[in-house]
């Protein structure tokens, strides 16, 4: 069988630990036998990030602007323990944070729905897609430990030198402070991505903040969404028969639990980080969550929502067998390949992406799955496969 050609490359961002192992298996068994895979490779593994002073992360984001489509493996965000483990020069920032800051996009995450994996919230009948604002707030924050007595203020110095000040707190004992920001432009492009994606997928859009407490910061998010909706999207939403719904974040959380699903829930950066993990675990497994960063300029970066699965990696290093779920990473590849196919008018590539996803779903629905899924499936007598055999079982279906 002739291999499918790719005229234009996609940006390939390799990563860390168990997902780096899965990455290679996916390429070897599911991609290279079928495709003339055309990628620009960037090694975002922690060792190479450290070696390049994290320049490789910036380069990979810039390349994404050039080629428009990227696929990323999960990566370690260093903490104190990782500093020692990898003998790091610096506590490098989260690569996802760096890439998102450069592309200024919105992350859409939706569960991969498979028969035999029932959500643990029994009234959830349809997927809930989380749209996470991917810029600013605590992810671009500056923090300070306050050693003792003194005054902490917010100071804005305008270009003409004039100052505006707000007291944060007058300390009479040690404490902590945090400064963070967002940009009206970024909030506006977040809002537009969400409204467009709601129209594309014909789903209602929910948005929530804590505007009653955060009367300037969060309220600005609420106001910008409403202004853009009224000015640009109201009529289109009416025609499509979908709604835009704003409420307080705690009210939204309560309503989500009682809903049927089937809508997009737009979240501020931190809410989206937290809620997407809750939604994905409730729908089955963290490993069954797709994730795509969509920039307002039309750049797409696909990845799995989960991390590097460190615990499994240490087992792997000890020579023990692992049963790590590669579905979200496979769907990151299929998402990127399909988008490349759409942008290039490459029908063969789009069809291959569909076949890869279908083969993955068919494998699970036939009862062959990794351990995390076997523990939660309603399919009787599932066959638990190890990491590599699961990928090989998909490959077998792809060749049939
Ligand atoms: P994690 O890698 O998502 O894993 C947490 C636990 O969830 C695992 O121990 C495993 O549970 C289960 N799990 C997650 N993905 C799985 C999969 N594909 N198959 C089977 N089980 C899966 O989160 P973490 O352990 O908190 O973080 C590890 C590293 O990942 C950290 O260094 C963090 O910085 C990084 N991280 C990266 C990204 C990213 O690049 N997008 C996102 C999050 C975290 P059991 O152990 O019970 O089997
Ligand atoms: Mg998270």
């Amino acid at each position: 069988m002739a291999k499918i050609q790719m005229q234009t490359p996609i940006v390939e961002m390799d990563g860390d630990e168990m997902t780096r192992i899965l990455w290679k298996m996916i390429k070897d068994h599911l991609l290279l036998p079928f495709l003339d895979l055309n990628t620009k490779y960037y090694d975002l593994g922690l060792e190479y990030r450290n070696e390049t002073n994290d320049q490789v992360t910036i380069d990979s984001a810039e390349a994404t602007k050039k080629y428009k489509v990227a696929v990323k493996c999960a990566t370690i965000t260093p903490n104190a323990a990782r500093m020692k483990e990898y003998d790091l020069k610096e506590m490098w920032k989260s690569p996802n944070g760096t890439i998102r800051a450069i592309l200024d996009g919105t992350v859409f995450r939706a569960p991969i729905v498979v028969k035999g994996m029932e959500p643990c919230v029994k009234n959830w009948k349809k997927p809930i897609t989380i749209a996470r604002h991917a810029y600013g707030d605590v992810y671009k924050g500056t923090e300070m430990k306050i050693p003792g007595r003194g005054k902490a203020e917010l100071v804005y110095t305008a270009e003409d030198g004039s100052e505006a000040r707000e007291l944060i707190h007058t300390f009479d004992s040690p404490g902590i402070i945090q400064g963070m920001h967002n940009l009206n432009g970024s909030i506006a492009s977040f809002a537009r991505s969400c409204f467009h994606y709601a129209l594309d997928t014909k789903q209602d859009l929910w948005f929530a903040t804590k505007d009653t407490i955060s009367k300037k910061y969060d309220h600005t998010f609420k106001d910008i969404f409403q202004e853009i909706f009224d000015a640009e999207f109201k009529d289109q939403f009416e025609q499509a028969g979908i709604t835009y719904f704003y409420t307080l974040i705690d009210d939204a959380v309560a309503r989500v639990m009682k809903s049927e699903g089937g809508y997009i829930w737009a979240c501020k950066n931190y809410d989206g980080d937290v809620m997407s993990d809750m939604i994905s675990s409730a729908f089955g497994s963290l490993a069954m969550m797709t994730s795509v960063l969509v920039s307002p300029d039309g750049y797409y970066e696909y990845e799995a929502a989960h991390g590097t699965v460190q615990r499994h990696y240490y087992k792997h290093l000890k020579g023990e067998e692992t049963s790590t779920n590669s579905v979200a990473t496979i769907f990151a590849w299929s998402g990127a390949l399909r988008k490349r196919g759409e942008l290039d008018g490459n029908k063969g590539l789009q069809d291959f992406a569909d076949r890869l996803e279908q083969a993955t779903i068919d494998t699970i629905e036939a009862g062959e799955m990794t351990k995390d899924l076997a523990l939660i499936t309603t399919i009787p007598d599932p066959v638990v496969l190890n990491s590599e055999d699961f990928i090989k079982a998909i490959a077998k279906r792809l060749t049939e």
Side-chain angles (χ1 to χ4, degrees), residues 275-304:
M275 291 305 166
S276 60
D277 287 349
M278 182 193 74
I279 297 275
S280 61
S281 84
F283 265 103
S285 157
L286 256 184
M288 296 297 281
M289 195 74 156
T290 60
S291 180
V292 55
L293 175 78
V294 181
S295 90
D297 307 298
Y299 313 133
Y300 297 81
E301 185 232 295
Y302 294 82
E303 64 171 326

Side-chain angles (χ1 to χ4, degrees), residues 109 273-274 276-277:
R109 282 182 179 179
D273 185 349
V274 175
S276 60
D277 287 349

Side-chain angles (χ1 to χ4, degrees), residues 137-158:
D137 298 352
V138 75
Y139 302 84
K140 275 275 179 189
T142 302
E143 305 187 332
M144 214 188 260
K145 287 191 174 180
I146 303 297
R149 295 178 75 86
K151 187 170 69 169
E153 292 178 300
L154 285 177
V155 182
Y156 163 68
T157 312

Side-chain angles (χ1 to χ4, degrees), residues 98-131:
T98 301
I99 294 164
R100 284 169 196 163
I102 292 173
L103 300 181
D104 180 24
T106 297
V107 175
F108 293 92
R109 282 182 179 179
I112 299 157
V113 178
V114 181
K115 278 190 218 101
M117 308 293 155
E118 312 309 329
C120 42
V121 179
K122 61 180 186 304
N123 43 287
W124 286 357
K125 307 279 182 241
K126 301 174 201 163
I128 296 169
T129 301
I130 296 263

Side-chain angles (χ1 to χ4, degrees), residues 23-47:
W23 196 259
K24 184 164 187 311
M25 290 178 188
I26 292 168
K27 285 174 71 176
D28 287 347
H29 297 296
L30 300 178
L31 303 176
L32 294 170
F34 307 99
L35 284 181
D36 254 334
L37 191 63
N38 184 358
T39 71
K40 297 282 172 194
Y41 181 86
Y42 292 85
D43 184 359
L44 268 53
L46 187 51
E47 274 116 354

